[in-house]
Amino acid sequence: MTRHFTPPTRAARFARSLLAGALLALPLAATAQETPQYGGLVRINVHADAPNFDPLASTEFAVHSRLGLALSQLVAWGTGPDIAYGEFVPTPSLAESWEISDDGLTYTFHLRHDVVWQDVAPVSGRGFTSADVVATYEAMRAGGVQGGLLSAVDTITAPDDYTVVLTLSSPNVVLLQNLAHQNMWILPTEAFDGGYDRNTTVIGTGPFILTGDEAGVATTYVRNPTYFGHDAAGNQLPYLDAVEITPIRDLNARIIAFRSGQIDIWFGPLNLTQMAQIQAQVPGLQDIQTISNTQTEMYLNPAFEPFSDIRVRQAINMAIDRMAMGEVIRGGGAVGGVVGPALSTQTLPDDERIALYGTPNPERARELLAEAGYPDGFTFQFTLLNYGEEMVREGEWIQQDLADIGITAEINIVDRAAGMALGREGNFEALYMVMSPFAEADEYLSTHYIPGAIRNYAGVDDPELTAMIEEQRTIGDPAARQAMLWDIQRYIAENVQTTLPGWASLLLHPAHARVHGWHPMMTQGFPSLREVWVSE
Amino acid sequence: MTLAPSPDVVERRPNRFLGILRALLREPIGCTALVILTTVLLLALLAPLITQYDPLFQDRRAVLKAPSLAHWFGTDDIGRDVFSRVLYGTRISLLVGLLVVTFTMIIGGMIGLISGYFGGWTDMIIQRIVEALDTLPSLVLSLFIAAMLGPSVRNVVIAVTLAQIPRFVRVVRSEMIKVRAQDFIAASRVIGASSLRIMLTHGVPNLIPTMLVMGSLSFGIAIMTEAALSFLGVGTPPPNPSLGTMLAQGTRFIGIASWLIVFPGLMLTISVLALNLIGDALRDVLDPRRR
């Protein structure tokens, strides 16, 4: 049976919002009950300038976080108080609904009829059609940096002005998420036929119109009066009159700007100590915390003899007290997993993840070492990639945990590039690093456990595991796929046990009290900004 | 200016050091600095007897504890005793300083002696190399070398030594040129003494006062450079305690646990100040113009 997706009605969305509002904590409940107000300006810091505005030329966060305000995708990440930071809820954007064929090989998207391009020459407010989608995706496939996201797509056709059909050569359940990726912005056909320069001009269908960009000063936006989006109550979005993105490179300067109110919404790295200092000086600060979509991870190279025995790898896993480590060093977060905890619907449930990776058992670890022929332990070189002080601290913590079971870890700190090279060459005994930010379980699995994959530094080559990873990509039913993903993670914990997950730290997203409706999301482009409003 | 060279001086070398020490103790600043440095030295050497804590042991029930009777200088962010880490960190600092000064004196002194004694092309080539190295600030040069070699105590010693050598070479060379012009050098040549013998028996003894002053100042510089390299993450690797590493780690908690930077900072300041004051006092004692 063909699977259909149609968005909930406004009444249903309104009811869902009310339900979600009722679940909010008391401090937030007062805010949720307030009526959004139109007008005002919000300023966000992004700690780099955009070198250009061509979405096909670069994957830089500085580019795409800015483009997200002015452009739209076919399918978007849902946002809201009931959606977690790393949870992908496919939400209609330029496509108001879609159908997936039973064999999973044909995706039919029905486009909105009420979308017009921003009133910027040469497009000048013309209507949005399927030709724009086809032109964009074909250009991406031909030479865009995001072309790989469409690698599963065989043909892209437009039967009429408001329908787009994608056919696949083999089923791929992550296609929708790929289309909602932070680099998959839809541009007008004029962007590809020489109508304007994509590097300098931004014309989109998003909630804000980019009006200026001065390097080192600000990127400025005003409200797009013809934006197609509405809130749950049917009010036209966005609420804000204007947005400014301020590039401040220096961390201390950013903190000072935030404290003094020159920045309303914080974006970027911030640790708990810095947060505590800001909180002491900014009354009513919104302390929004999420779990990072990255985590530390420890590669054990089986080429180093002791690590070729899974009992030794199990022993190391059991020796590390990750829960205490995360609380003491990172000030909170979540124990890591084969799939990171930020992907709350795809990672193993918390209890099970904690049982596998957050419950140290040094006695059993010593027994395993003895069974493997290392009753007196051994010494290995523990290479740490230099991601900063907290990373070094985690290394020191693990060193003491391993010393407790008789294993001596000699810490060797290397810079990131050198460490990556060691990983690729397999020239290490144990490597401790931070995982790339991933937004899908398939990315975790296919980069770490498929032979020859980019992050398979430990050289995992398990045919049964490979088959399981390939199979999960074809399972369209979300519940069945989740079960399969969990089985894969359990299999890895029992039979592979490298890479060992570490800790996913807290991400801090403070915002001033005057800002309402702000929900940070893992994907770039500030998708919840269209529903942000300010109370003064 | 050096002490007047004479064979008698060479023969009475042991007494000469005692004489310098006595003169130093008569100087109020020198005496105070010597007492401070001796105290620091004793604290570092006797660390295992003074503190019951292993500087690497993490007491995870005592994280970021303020100074108390149990932990005199408090604990760090993973529960390690700061007093113990300061003492052991000072050991590493002093070890690095001692090794750097020793190697610098030997290598820099020898190159300077050769350059000053032989002159001509030898001198010109050595001095151009030294000038090229001197164009880079010593900290930058040390940082470059340490970053290339990777973080370890041995590599810190190599990096700081290489950065300090040019200064020694220049000073020793200029002193050797003065010594070379003395009549007793000509007399030694006439009676058939080899260049090596002249440099060792006449050159070295006359350079000792200068080397002592330079050495004490370089000791302080070496300690500071080791701390700076460790602060920047290319010095003493963790988990070994180093005053610079402790300062770097402590900056994250400056608002809530000031003891993490106050005590390592104080120890670093006191050690370097004492060494610099001893250097100044030695210069006063050994320079006839300043007596």
Side-chain angles (χ1 to χ4, degrees):
Chain A
M1 193 173 94
T2 303
R3 279 167 283 139
H4 296 265
F5 177 88
T6 49
T9 61
R10 280 183 185 170
R13 276 185 282 151
F14 186 59
R16 197 172 90 156
S17 296
L18 282 179
L19 179 65
L23 296 172
L24 288 174
L26 277 176
L28 292 175
T31 306
Q33 287 165 6
E34 293 176 21
T35 308
Q37 297 170 17
Y38 283 97
L41 163 73
V42 155
R43 284 160 295 197
I44 308 174
N45 66 287
V46 169
H47 41 284
D49 282 302
N52 62 62
F53 288 110
D54 182 0
L56 276 69
S58 151
T59 57
E60 283 187 48
F61 79 95
V63 174
H64 292 278
S65 57
R66 284 175 170 83
L67 288 176
L69 277 70
L71 307 181
S72 311
Q73 302 116 319
L74 210 56
V75 182
W77 281 60
T79 67
D82 51 342
I83 297 178
Y85 170 76
E87 183 184 1
F88 172 61
V89 177
T91 304
S93 182
L94 292 173
E96 61 183 357
S97 64
W98 54 84
E99 295 141 22
I100 305 169
S101 64
D102 290 342
D103 59 6
L105 296 177
T106 306
Y107 285 64
T108 305
F109 293 92
H110 303 287
L111 308 185
R112 301 180 67 104
H113 290 240
D114 58 349
V115 180
V116 293
W117 291 99
Q118 292 165 357
D119 190 10
V120 179
V123 184
S124 306
R126 76 162 169 82
F128 159 77
T129 68
S130 55
D132 298 311
V133 179
V134 174
T136 302
Y137 283 169
E138 290 293 4
M140 286 174 173
R141 292 213 295 180
V145 289
Q146 57 282 81
L149 296 169
L150 294 169
S151 60
V153 175
D154 194 17
T155 63
I156 305 167
T157 53
D160 60 52
D161 278 355
Y162 296 102
T163 306
V164 173
V165 178
L166 305 184
T167 61
L168 280 62
S169 45
S170 59
N172 189 330
V173 292
V174 296
L175 180 69
L176 274 185
Q177 184 155 347
N178 285 353
L179 298 182
H181 191 275
Q182 61 211 10
N183 297 348
M184 295 297 284
W185 312 109
I186 303 295
L187 300 178
T189 53
E190 290 85 344
F192 309 105
D193 61 14
Y196 68 90
D197 181 0
R198 297 197 302 265
N199 286 310
T200 55
T201 304
V202 177
I203 305 173
T205 53
F208 299 96
I209 300 172
L210 192 149
T211 53
D213 178 62
E214 192 174 344
V217 180
T219 309
T220 54
Y221 304 81
V222 296
R223 184 171 181 269
N224 175 11
T226 60
Y227 179 57
F228 59 85
H230 293 79
D231 67 11
N235 298 311
Q236 170 75 43
L237 293 174
Y239 301 121
L240 296 169
D241 279 343
V243 176
E244 277 183 20
I245 291 183
T246 315
I248 306 175
R249 288 176 187 277
D250 180 71
L251 176 64
N252 288 324
R254 284 205 297 278
I255 290 175
I256 291 167
F258 185 81
R259 276 195 331 226
S260 63
Q262 292 171 49
I263 293 171
D264 301 292
I265 295 173
W266 179 273
F267 174 79
L270 189 71
N271 67 33
L272 284 166
T273 311
Q274 290 154 346
M275 180 69 182
Q277 288 164 1
I278 292 173
Q279 270 179 317
Q281 290 162 322
V282 180
L285 188 77
Q286 296 182 60
D287 180 8
I288 305 170
Q289 302 186 349
T290 63
I291 301 295
S292 171
N293 57 334
T294 63
Q295 62 182 14
T296 48
E297 55 183 7
M298 185 175 181
Y299 294 86
L300 303 174
N301 191 347
F304 176 63
E305 195 181 335
F307 295 154
S308 64
D309 191 321
I310 190 165
R311 289 169 297 187
V312 173
R313 303 200 294 269
Q314 300 278 21
I316 288 178
N317 180 55
M318 284 182 188
I320 304 169
D321 187 353
R322 295 174 177 83
M323 299 293 280
M325 179 179 81
E327 287 301 324
V328 169
I329 297 172
R330 302 280 183 176
V335 69
V338 172
V339 172
L343 303 187
S344 49
T345 57
Q346 297 184 318
T347 188
L348 284 171
D350 281 353
D351 291 350
E352 194 172 347
R353 225 176 46 251
I354 289 169
L356 287 173
Y357 301 112
T359 313
N361 187 347
E363 292 78 22
R364 178 66 189 136
R366 279 188 281 268
E367 286 170 16
L368 283 167
L369 280 182
E371 287 169 22
Y374 299 99
D376 301 322
F378 56 90
T379 300
F380 72 95
Q381 195 172 62
F382 188 27
T383 304
L384 291 181
L385 270 64
N386 193 355
Y387 284 87
E389 278 302 327
E390 285 160 339
M391 187 79 176
V392 175
R393 282 297 200 257
E394 284 193 15
E396 292 175 319
W397 184 282
I398 291 169
Q399 188 182 43
Q400 177 158 314
D401 281 344
L402 296 182
D404 285 347
I405 62 165
I407 297 177
T408 304
E410 293 176 344
I411 291 179
N412 172 36
I413 299 178
V414 298
D415 68 62
R416 295 186 209 182
M420 297 279 191
L422 292 175
R424 283 192 296 272
E425 294 161 6
N427 185 17
F428 66 94
E429 291 173 0
L431 199 62
Y432 196 62
M433 61 196 299
V434 175
M435 188 182 276
S436 300
F438 294 134
E440 227 297 322
D442 185 58
E443 290 182 272
Y444 280 90
L445 302 174
S446 57
T447 54
H448 285 73
Y449 300 104
I450 299 287
I454 189 167
R455 278 289 185 95
N456 189 359
Y457 297 155
V460 177
D461 186 0
D462 183 326
E464 192 176 340
L465 177 60
T466 303
M468 291 166 83
I469 293 171
E470 284 169 356
E471 187 186 342
Q472 56 82 27
R473 290 184 193 137
T474 66
I475 302 175
D477 177 55
R481 181 162 184 257
Q482 183 187 55
M484 183 74 189
L485 289 173
W486 286 0
D487 284 346
I488 292 173
Q489 292 171 71
R490 290 171 189 135
Y491 180 90
I492 290 169
E494 192 178 338
N495 301 292
V496 182
Q497 209 59 292
T498 181
T499 307
L500 294 179
W503 187 257
S505 53
L506 278 179
L507 281 184
L508 307 177
H509 315 267
H512 281 267
R514 65 190 285 268
V515 176
H516 305 265
W518 168 239
H519 303 291
M521 293 299 292
M522 181 191 294
T523 188
Q524 291 166 13
F526 308 112
S528 74
L529 202 56
R530 64 186 203 145
E531 295 193 71
V532 164
W533 57 280
V534 289
S535 54
E536 58 184 85
Chain B
M1 188 171 170
T2 59
L3 290 176
S6 97
D8 291 344
V9 172
V10 177
E11 283 163 17
R12 284 188 274 114
R13 201 185 309 165
N15 294 336
R16 188 180 181 190
F17 281 109
L18 280 177
I20 292 171
L21 188 60
R22 281 196 205 101
L24 199 60
L25 289 171
R26 280 196 294 274
E27 290 267 329
I29 291 176
C31 179
T32 311
L34 206 58
V35 169
I36 293 172
L37 189 65
T38 307
T39 310
V40 169
L41 201 63
L42 286 174
L43 282 172
L45 288 175
L46 303 176
L49 304 175
I50 295 169
T51 173
Q52 58 176 314
Y53 295 106
D54 178 343
L56 306 185
F57 179 73
Q58 302 159 20
D59 181 356
R60 294 168 180 176
R61 295 160 304 174
V63 169
L64 286 180
K65 293 289 181 194
S68 65
L69 282 175
H71 297 283
W72 295 353
F73 289 0
T75 61
D76 71 6
D77 56 315
I78 49 177
R80 294 177 296 200
D81 182 66
V82 175
F83 178 63
S84 169
R85 288 181 69 75
V86 166
L87 294 192
Y88 282 90
T90 307
R91 263 186 168 192
I92 290 180
S93 295
L94 293 176
L95 176 70
V96 169
L98 186 69
L99 291 175
V100 166
V101 168
T102 307
F103 291 138
T104 309
M105 277 184 170
I106 294 170
I107 300 169
M110 280 173 57
I111 297 172
L113 272 177
I114 292 167
S115 183
Y117 179 79
F118 288 106
W121 278 99
T122 309
D123 181 47
M124 199 193 74
I125 291 168
I126 290 173
Q127 290 312 307
R128 294 302 81 76
I129 295 169
V130 167
E131 280 167 12
L133 288 171
D134 245 0
T135 55
L136 288 170
S138 61
L139 180 60
V140 175
L141 187 61
S142 301
L143 184 61
F144 175 70
I145 298 166
M148 275 207 318
L149 297 176
S152 78
V153 173
R154 184 197 63 189
N155 293 344
V156 168
V157 171
I158 293 171
V160 182
T161 302
L162 288 176
Q164 291 292 315
I165 281 175
R167 188 182 310 180
F168 265 76
V169 171
R170 291 173 80 92
V171 173
V172 170
R173 170 204 177 245
S174 86
E175 290 299 317
M176 190 61 216
I177 287 173
K178 289 180 202 164
V179 173
R180 190 183 63 181
Q182 301 290 324
D183 291 340
F184 63 87
I185 297 289
S188 297
R189 280 204 195 104
V190 168
I191 62 172
S194 69
S195 296
L196 183 63
R197 182 181 170 82
I198 293 171
M199 281 192 280
L200 292 179
T201 56
H202 299 303
V204 171
N206 285 287
L207 292 171
I208 283 175
T210 307
M211 298 278 267
L212 279 178
V213 176
M214 286 285 293
S216 63
L217 295 173
S218 282
F219 207 122
I221 292 170
I223 289 176
M224 283 296 284
T225 310
E226 186 276 330
L229 294 178
S230 298
F231 187 91
L232 295 169
V234 292
T236 307
N240 304 312
S242 154
L243 297 178
T245 311
M246 292 174 76
L247 285 173
Q249 292 167 348
T251 53
R252 288 194 299 143
F253 303 95
I254 195 167
I256 54 173
S258 54
W259 58 88
L260 292 182
I261 58 166
V262 166
F263 294 114
L266 267 177
M267 183 57 96
L268 190 61
T269 306
I270 288 170
S271 306
V272 175
L273 184 66
L275 283 162
N276 284 350
L277 290 176
I278 288 173
D280 281 349
L282 273 175
R283 191 176 53 197
D284 291 347
V285 168
L286 299 173
D287 188 345
R289 289 174 303 182
R290 289 174 175 264
R291 282 178 194 162

